[in-house]
Amino acid sequence: MGKGLLLCICYAANIGGTATLTGTGPNLVITQTVDTLFPDGPGIDFATWFTFGFPAMVLALILAWVWLQFLFLDCRCLLGCIRQRGCKGRCKRETNSAVHRVIRRQYDELGPLSFAEKVVLLHFVILVLLWFFRDMKFVHLENKRAAGWTYFFVQDYMTDAAT
């Protein structure tokens, strides 16, 4: 089961990185390559990459989950749960187990969000909004520049590495 958890973390990190433009380095490299090879093209910005990458990431994540379930758990149990016939006690989570009690106790001890956690959450939301609305290449202006908050700076001064 330990191997399955380690593989789960590795798969999720790699698959999740494909959803956003800044998720992995090769995503930024291909964006610059597309801009270089097709200078008159619309280009790829954070929002257009996300519309392509997010559905593919969700599909790959589901396939990885099914693969790990098949590889490390009883596949008859997986198929039985999918068909809603029940697992006949093989896969049921025991709410009285020691692990469940420890996790529940630690979760209850967390309490509400602190001020610092709320500030970090706010900054993260602002960062995501800045990524999405930096350079909206799907909105064309009359002066052939893309809309977004980088419109107020010198052209090509802000890149995806700036946010």
Side-chain angles (χ1 to χ4, degrees):
M1 190 57 97
K3 290 179 187 177
L5 285 174
L6 291 176
L7 281 175
C8 175
I9 293 169
C10 296
Y11 286 172
N14 286 320
I15 292 170
T18 61
T20 61
L21 189 58
T22 56
T24 59
N27 297 354
L28 292 172
V29 170
I30 197 159
T31 301
Q32 293 299 321
T33 304
V34 167
D35 289 342
T36 303
L37 293 176
F38 305 104
D40 297 330
I44 300 173
D45 61 350
F46 197 88
T48 54
W49 183 275
F50 191 75
T51 57
F52 156 75
F54 186 75
M57 183 266 312
V58 169
L59 179 65
L61 202 58
I62 291 170
L63 290 174
W65 178 79
V66 169
W67 171 249
L68 288 171
Q69 291 284 323
F70 178 76
L71 197 60
F72 290 100
L73 296 177
D74 187 9
C75 70
R76 290 173 295 173
C77 176
L78 177 65
L79 295 175
C81 288
I82 290 173
R83 292 184 189 141
Q84 306 236 343
R85 283 189 278 147
C87 297
K88 298 181 179 129
R90 290 190 301 259
C91 298
K92 288 187 179 177
R93 177 177 42 156
E94 295 182 25
T95 57
N96 294 329
S97 70
V99 173
H100 186 268
R101 285 192 306 267
V102 168
I103 292 173
R104 173 55 61 188
R105 186 182 71 240
Q106 288 181 351
Y107 178 76
D108 291 337
E109 289 174 1
L110 284 176
L113 288 175
S114 67
F115 174 75
E117 292 168 335
K118 289 177 185 176
V119 169
V120 169
L121 179 64
L122 175 70
H123 280 94
F124 179 72
V125 169
I126 291 171
L127 175 68
V128 170
L129 290 175
L130 286 172
W131 276 336
F132 268 100
F133 297 113
R134 180 187 71 81
D135 195 12
M136 298 182 292
K137 295 180 181 177
F138 53 89
V139 177
H140 300 287
L141 301 176
E142 293 177 8
N143 59 0
K144 298 192 180 194
R145 287 191 59 190
W149 59 266
T150 58
Y151 181 79
F152 301 106
F153 294 96
V154 177
Q155 191 169 2
D156 295 330
Y157 180 69
M158 294 286 180
T159 64
D160 285 318
T163 49

